[in-house]
Amino acid sequence: MTGVEKRAASSLSAIFGLRMLGMFMILPVFALYAEHLDGVTPFLAGLAIGAYGLTQALLQIPFGMLSDRIGRKPVIALGLIIFAIGSVVAAQADTIHGVILGRALQGAGAIAAAIMALLADLTREEHRTKVLAGFGASIGLSFSLALVAGPLLDRWIGVPGIFWLTAVLALGGIAVLFTWVPKPSHNHFHRDAEPVPGQFKRVLSDPQLLRLDLGILTLHMVLTANFVVLPLALHDYAGLDKMHHWWVYLPVLLLGMAVMVPFIIIGEKKRKLKPIFVGAIVTLGLTELLLAEFHHSLWAIAGLLFLFFSAFNLLEATLPSLIAKVAPADAKGTAMGAYSSSQFIGAFTGGALGGWAHGQFGLTGVFILCAGMLAIWAIAAATMAPPRYLSTFTLRVGEQDPAGATELSAKLAALAGVAEAVVIPGDEAAYLKLDREVVNWDELERFSVAEPV
């Protein structure tokens, strides 16, 4: 990659990663903090944790479309300002309703789609998969750091201080946006990174993609619901002071990340992705059932969280790969948009349902609820078709008239290793599904037209 591409990838990943760090740091500490807020109930505490997911799901695609019209950076800056305002509202709130409003405003600063579009503007097609993988990794790193930093910061500055810190980080992100993120030479639509409104019916009627959307919704529903009660289990039942909760989270996260790596390698290289995927879902479900029974023991919680995060990390890394394998060649951006919205709906649903189950049935009820949702997902995953081991790839082919686009599509589809080829004249691009181990890259590059960055 060029220096501009590296700078774009690192700076935009940092902006979004710090935003998500602020969002996630509340997870390990809020349940205990909420007990002291006026008007709190278990349901409202859960709603406060997941409220950001609803506004994020509703607004991220409209924000992305707005960035096509008025520019990427203004929309990203607006989103960060809204996020900062939400953080200030939550920091100053002394009622649970005020925190819910603040969290909803945080989610309303929905910049994910606009950042993805700007990344696409600043990187060439042949590097986009690497860039987006790095972007995803920054979110995973933010989550891991948040579970450790949240309890530590709670000790030093309290939950209101964490909200103030997230506001400062958001404003710092604006400074990075205008001083470090490169200015694109052009803004244009990227079908591989942005949703096409006319394609939503197509991707939302695909049974295989719907199974994956259900999967990410369930995964983040379970994660959020767990954190409605996990801090309470560690503090009230297992007797661990809240400032020491990171003692549990840090080792289980590190070990969980290490354990997932060989399974991903086996799944991809040995083409055993489906059984590993279904096995991870079943492992999550069993973990929830065991947490329902053994959440009084610190060592049991720690051991079960190790299993939970091993399976969770594996699924979190595998799901986007499956979306890329399953989505039509020219609809990856739309499929990812629906997938991302499902993820945030899952966070909202997990907070709301987790809070409701906690109020009605206690901690045990939350874990049983999660196990039931995972059982439904396991059935859906077990009945999905085995994935084709294909990658999406976008090739810049220059301007094409409709007849030339049809002819070029046929030529590209005839190449060894290319399973699907769609040339969109207005996009000046060919969207391919290919087997990276079979395709002849030199032969493919003969059809490429260099694009300046």
Side-chain angles (χ1 to χ4, degrees), residues 178-262:
F178 288 106
T179 60
W180 186 245
V181 177
K183 182 179 180 180
S185 58
H186 54 277
N187 287 346
H188 61 77
F189 183 77
H190 306 273
R191 196 174 292 262
D192 61 330
E194 300 178 68
V196 180
Q199 289 184 336
F200 276 113
K201 181 178 180 181
R202 179 184 179 191
V203 301
L204 292 176
S205 60
D206 185 318
Q208 303 305 316
L209 288 174
L210 283 176
R211 283 175 168 85
L212 300 176
D213 292 339
L214 171 68
I216 193 63
L217 186 153
T218 304
L219 188 64
H220 280 262
M221 190 213 84
V222 168
L223 176 71
T224 309
N226 270 283
F227 277 99
V228 171
V229 294
L230 270 175
L232 301 174
L234 287 169
H235 184 269
D236 298 343
Y237 290 84
L240 184 65
D241 191 280
K242 64 179 182 178
M243 73 179 65
H244 297 144
H245 286 191
W246 68 274
W247 290 358
V248 174
Y249 297 133
L250 180 60
V252 300
L253 282 167
L254 293 177
L255 289 171
M257 285 189 284
V259 166
M260 79 165 182
V261 173

Side-chain angles (χ1 to χ4, degrees), residues 290-325:
L290 291 170
L291 280 169
E293 180 66 26
F294 298 109
H295 60 264
H296 297 79
S297 164
L298 178 61
W299 288 104
I301 293 174
L304 291 170
L305 284 182
F306 161 66
L307 289 176
F308 178 91
F309 282 113
S310 298
F312 177 89
N313 291 334
L314 175 60
L315 292 165
E316 184 86 346
T318 303
L319 277 163
S321 173
L322 287 171
I323 288 283
K325 289 175 170 59

Side-chain angles (χ1 to χ4, degrees), residues 1 116 119-134 188 190-193 332 394 396 451:
M1 293 195 295
M116 297 283 276
L119 269 174
D121 287 336
L122 292 167
T123 56
R124 290 165 291 171
E125 283 82 357
E126 59 264 35
H127 298 299
R128 200 158 294 152
T129 300
K130 291 184 291 184
V131 169
L132 295 179
H188 61 77
H190 306 273
R191 196 174 292 262
D192 61 330
K332 180 187 174 185
T394 304
R396 181 61 49 183
E451 178 189 12

